[in-house]
Amino acid sequence: MVKVYGPMMSMAASGTLGKIATFSNWKGRSYVRKCVTPANPKSVLQVSVRAMMRFLSQEWEGIGSTPKGSWDDAAAATNISPFNAYIAANASRWREFQPPSQTNPAPETGDVPVATLDSAVGGPSYCDVTMTITTLNDVWGVILFRSPTGTFTTSRANAIRVIPITAEEEVVFTDSGLDAGTYYYDARFFTKEGVLGDEEGEVSGTAE
């Protein structure tokens, strides 16, 4: 990464030029870097990272003023916004296969919900995965895992979706775009304070 001053005949520039160089801004500093295209944007780890980033970005506004305020010091220490501090810290936790936390630092307390992973029912290029939550406790969300083989161990590498849980109800997730075949699923719930629950137990479904 190279810092630049007055890029592209202006005080700031953004975007990619000729698929060669990407101009952007970070912490108020303009920079330019080589344009890089992922070799496989749908690799298992790419899917896993995007799943967690989507969840964190969507949940920030709803976590409440007290949890948001806990990120102020971390933000000030590195000259970034509280939102970016929350994203960075929880992305770091996810790299270690730890669930996110609304509060900084993560208290790692609270009880996961009383819930079951009920079934996976296949159809044309998809499987509908059904979970039932009977007691919320301190739940924030659930991580859904998928494998092409049974009796697998859940990991960051086979996480495909992070779903917020807000009510005692049945939750159905449609895993679409699948090739024909049998897929195995597991789920682990996590609390608002960064506790990851046990594996719920595998279910399987066959996409047509």
Side-chain angles (χ1 to χ4, degrees), residues 124-128 146 160-161 173-179 183 185 207:
S125 301
Y126 74 86
C127 282
D128 281 340
R146 181 185 67 210
I160 61 168
R161 195 75 170 190
F173 172 71
T174 299
D175 186 20
S176 59
L178 300 176
D179 294 331
Y183 296 87
Y185 297 89

Side-chain angles (χ1 to χ4, degrees), residues 142-166:
V142 60
I143 305 169
L144 186 64
F145 305 85
R146 181 185 67 210
S147 173
T149 59
T151 316
F152 71 100
T153 300
T154 58
S155 71
R156 190 171 69 99
N158 49 43
I160 61 168
R161 195 75 170 190
V162 186
I163 305 167
I165 301 297
T166 59

Side-chain angles (χ1 to χ4, degrees), residues 2-13 23 28-32:
V2 178
K3 293 180 183 178
V4 292
Y5 300 91
M8 303 302 292
M9 308 300 181
S10 67
M11 292 305 294
F23 295 82
R29 305 178 183 92
S30 296
Y31 71 89
V32 61

